[in-house]
Amino acid sequence: MSKILTKGRIALSVIFSVLIIDQIIKIWIKTHMFWHESIRVTDWFYIYFTENNGMAFGMEIFGKLFLTSFRIVAVAFIGWFLYKFVKHGMKTGFIVCISLILTGALGNIIDSVFYGVIFNESTHAQIASFMPEEGGYAPLFYGKVVDMFYFPIIETDWPQWMPFVGGDHFIFFSPIFNFADAAISCGIIALLLFYSKYLNDAYHAVTKKS
């Protein structure tokens, strides 16, 4: 059994499974929902279709081409380290964490690079179609990242007596994110919780032997 579930195959299984799930969700959302359409699952969980030009959780910094290029370089860098970690027999859980981070970044790269070419624009009045005859909504590398998970766990107004924010609307955890973002976050959190000391040792072991 251990020969079948090698560290390399586990890494590939994580990469392909997360990537496939991420893209299935995004393609379904893109081709079945209007832009900013919302589906209520519970009071604190919504499927809310939106798109962003920037980094994870909708942050937008620097230019679009820079961000896409940065993601590609980052994925290549992480992929090289993952290959080295597998080759040097690092802990399985550690390899899974790195695989999650790699796949999350790769999932959003696919959106940025290809979605502008293979889909037309999503609007309040138009649901996007796959490979439209009139062409896509943006050139290669200028696609938007599809987001859909929204968890407004607490939504209320600040009391009027509070200075600066009194009367303002407050939402606890307002970012809208996708499955790829969740994979990156889970990978990073697990690394910090369980492998923070091991990460430094693994990095030095790989770079010294390289």
Side-chain angles (χ1 to χ4, degrees), residues 31-108:
T31 57
H32 288 79
M33 295 180 68
F34 295 101
W35 186 64
H36 283 188
E37 181 180 352
S38 177
I39 299 174
R40 178 184 175 275
V41 181
T42 70
D43 288 338
W44 48 268
F45 174 35
Y46 292 79
I47 303 297
Y48 184 92
F49 172 35
T50 188
E51 296 173 298
N52 74 81
N53 292 315
M55 303 291 281
F57 301 106
M59 294 183 292
E60 296 191 14
I61 53 175
F62 304 114
K64 176 62 181 177
L65 184 58
F66 172 84
L67 290 173
T68 303
S69 301
F70 175 80
R71 287 194 184 105
I72 294 173
V73 172
V75 162
F77 185 75
I78 297 170
W80 181 85
F81 269 101
L82 177 60
Y83 169 76
K84 292 293 183 180
F85 290 149
V86 171
K87 188 176 180 180
H88 289 90
M90 301 301 177
K91 293 181 179 179
T92 300
F94 177 76
I95 289 173
V96 169
C97 291
I98 302 298
S99 299
L100 286 172
I101 297 170
L102 171 68
T103 312
L106 184 58
N108 286 333

Side-chain angles (χ1 to χ4, degrees), residues 72-155:
I72 294 173
V73 172
V75 162
F77 185 75
I78 297 170
W80 181 85
F81 269 101
L82 177 60
Y83 169 76
K84 292 293 183 180
F85 290 149
V86 171
K87 188 176 180 180
H88 289 90
M90 301 301 177
K91 293 181 179 179
T92 300
F94 177 76
I95 289 173
V96 169
C97 291
I98 302 298
S99 299
L100 286 172
I101 297 170
L102 171 68
T103 312
L106 184 58
N108 286 333
I109 282 176
I110 292 175
D111 296 31
S112 296
V113 174
F114 298 110
Y115 273 30
V117 176
I118 64 176
F119 294 109
N120 54 1
E121 189 76 31
S122 294
T123 69
H124 293 292
Q126 172 181 273
I127 295 177
S129 57
F130 180 74
M131 297 300 291
E133 293 183 4
E134 69 274 15
Y137 66 84
L140 203 67
F141 289 92
Y142 282 86
K144 299 176 184 177
V145 177
V146 175
D147 291 326
M148 74 293 296
F149 297 131
Y150 178 42
F151 289 88
I153 298 173
I154 299 174
E155 187 169 1

Side-chain angles (χ1 to χ4, degrees), residues 149-166:
F149 297 131
Y150 178 42
F151 289 88
I153 298 173
I154 299 174
E155 187 169 1
T156 185
D157 294 323
W158 289 106
Q160 292 290 344
W161 54 265
M162 291 192 68
F164 305 112
V165 296

Side-chain angles (χ1 to χ4, degrees), residues 187-199:
I188 292 174
I189 291 170
L191 274 181
L192 294 176
L193 289 177
F194 305 111
Y195 300 102
S196 56
K197 294 181 179 178
Y198 187 74
L199 178 60

